[in-house]
Amino acid sequence: MVKENCGVVGIFSLSGTNVVPMVIDALRALQHRGQEAWGLAIPNKPPLKRLGLVSGSSSEFKKITEEYSSPAVIGHVRYSTMGRSSLENAQPLKVKDLCIAHNGTIANVQELSNLVGGCSFTPQNASDTLVAAQRLVTLISENGQMGKALSILKNEMVGSYCFTFISDDNSVYAARDPKGFRPMVLGYKESDDTYIVASESSAVSAVGAKLQRNVNPGELIKLSKNGLETERFSDDLTRAHCSFEFTYFAHPSSNMEGTNIYVARKNIGRFLAKKFPINDADLVIPVPDSARPAALGYAQELGVSFDEGLLKDRYSKKGPLRSFIEPHQSDRIEINRWIIPIKEIIEGKHVVVIDDSLVRGTSSKAIIKALRRAGARKISMVITYPPIKFPCYAGIDFPSREELATFSDGKEMSEIEITEMVRQSIGADFLGYNDAENLAAAVGIPKDSMCFTCSSGNYESLGITPEFRSREEMKGE
């Protein structure tokens, strides 16, 4: 419930190929989903886990590939969940003869921990994944089957989850929660007769496999020597696909719920230009990198020139990382220093800056200051995502309300007042936020099949009434 959006992979080769090199490539393709730790697991061995980026362990790849050689593997990239950032909390986790990797957040983890005796759950080592795994293993031993166990667990567990599992009998499983909060896809590589399940299709492409389809919400897939088997553990037909995946998290090359992310983002920009036609603009610039397609769509729709007015210093220590998923505020400020304005492009112009989201406002404030220093005459900022006003309990990092730029300390404020408050705080001449209807229309998914809880405060799709607590309370520090 604190900071999470991870990536999971499960691979099984019917031809007996060692798929460990493949899982490493797939995890590198999911690196944007988590940069804090990574790991993999094969049957009958403790999981391998490492802190930092996958490529940070490249000197070990050969040794890992030989030592963990297996036709069945699961993998995980992590961006800190509940509990502290440590190797102990990295995944996959092993409980009895089952290893588990998880993308999402279990919102009622305290209740669930009571069902497993409560013993594993301390704030210092609080992993919702571990609690879910312990409960699942108990249910499997009582019911004999993964599908039956999941159909019981889904009624006990509230939250978002994409799981990959590996069992000591050489089977790989993948399960996606009934609402489809987090993404999951299935791919197949003909040359090795290999199936891959992953959080995003970018990982499927990275290993030379072909995207087959989405894993359906409420579906359990089993990959074993019998090939691919599938069953449903939930009949829930209501969907709540995370809208933030479409504007920020997913890789632009990925296809999600049948939509290409790059095309969707460009379309979001077009729809934003219709909502905010800033006709006296001289220039449209993106905040690098994820806002680029939206800025291009916006500029094309408006007929205003598009340019790169801000560049990331790729050679700085943290240049290519994403400030939103950095664990510490000081790191986020550090990253913003590496976004450099190009004076010759900006000077004397009315610049429209397109950004994918405005969470804390730290980045926006720093960017606007930098643009002013570079001589921008006027700065309008347009955000592809609606105002984020509430914590996410389905797996994204904005859990405490007082950290959000929209936080008004208990005062009832209209949308217009909130926008004006944030505009003043970041120092823009104009600020425009997208709205849920406009975003859903641009992506081409019905609004009621998407999750906008962080903007609306309606937690019905999760089935919870949250207590809003500060990050310190939640981290147990």
Side-chain angles (χ1 to χ4, degrees), residues 286-307:
V287 173
D289 288 307
S290 34
R292 197 169 277 124
L296 195 54
Y298 184 95
Q300 286 174 351
E301 183 64 36
L302 219 56
V304 173
S305 57
F306 166 90
D307 219 324

Side-chain angles (χ1 to χ4, degrees), residues 16 25 28 36 58 82 92 102 146 164 166 208 210 215 315 338 349 364 405 408 415 437 451:
D25 285 343
R28 287 168 90 167
E36 199 163 298
S58 55
M82 282 189 74
H102 170 214
M146 175 77 81
T164 54
I166 199 160
K210 273 209 167 77
V215 174
Y315 305 101
W338 301 115
K349 305 259 175 61
S364 309
S408 57
E415 204 90 336
E437 288 75 13
C451 178

Side-chain angles (χ1 to χ4, degrees), residues 49-50 67 100 103 120 167 203 224 234 247 299 339 384 397 430:
K49 300 190 264 191
R50 294 286 182 267
E67 250 175 66
I100 180 171
N103 169 29
S120 69
S167 57
S224 68
S234 166
T247 60
I339 293 182
T384 71
D397 169 29
F430 169 82

Side-chain angles (χ1 to χ4, degrees), residues 36-53:
E36 199 163 298
W38 68 279
L40 59 87
I42 63 168
N44 303 297
K45 247 191 167 155
L48 168 112
K49 300 190 264 191
R50 294 286 182 267
L51 286 174
L53 302 177

Side-chain angles (χ1 to χ4, degrees), residues 13-49:
S13 175
L14 285 151
S15 64
T17 304
N18 176 11
V19 291
V20 171
M22 215 184 265
V23 85
I24 289 170
D25 285 343
L27 292 175
R28 287 168 90 167
L30 294 175
Q31 191 78 83
H32 58 285
R33 298 187 73 81
Q35 295 144 16
E36 199 163 298
W38 68 279
L40 59 87
I42 63 168
N44 303 297
K45 247 191 167 155
L48 168 112
K49 300 190 264 191

Side-chain angles (χ1 to χ4, degrees), residues 415-459:
E415 204 90 336
I416 292 169
E417 288 168 327
I418 287 172
T419 304
E420 178 54 23
M421 174 184 78
V422 178
R423 182 196 70 75
Q424 284 180 18
S425 130
I426 63 171
D429 297 300
F430 169 82
L431 174 65
Y433 279 106
N434 208 350
D435 60 84
E437 288 75 13
N438 203 39
L439 176 52
V443 171
I445 292 177
K447 179 176 164 262
D448 58 8
S449 293
M450 293 176 88
C451 178
F452 286 101
T453 297
C454 58
S455 182
S456 68
N458 177 350
Y459 289 87

Side-chain angles (χ1 to χ4, degrees), residues 357-365 387-390 398 400-409 413 417-426 431 433:
S357 57
L358 200 160
V359 183
R360 301 168 185 83
T362 320
S363 304
S364 309
K365 204 177 282 186
I388 293 165
K389 295 183 279 192
F390 297 91
F398 15 90
S400 71
R401 290 183 79 182
E402 63 269 27
E403 286 184 276
L404 302 174
T406 55
F407 183 62
S408 57
D409 216 359
M413 290 173 89
E417 288 168 327
I418 287 172
T419 304
E420 178 54 23
M421 174 184 78
V422 178
R423 182 196 70 75
Q424 284 180 18
S425 130
I426 63 171
L431 174 65
Y433 279 106

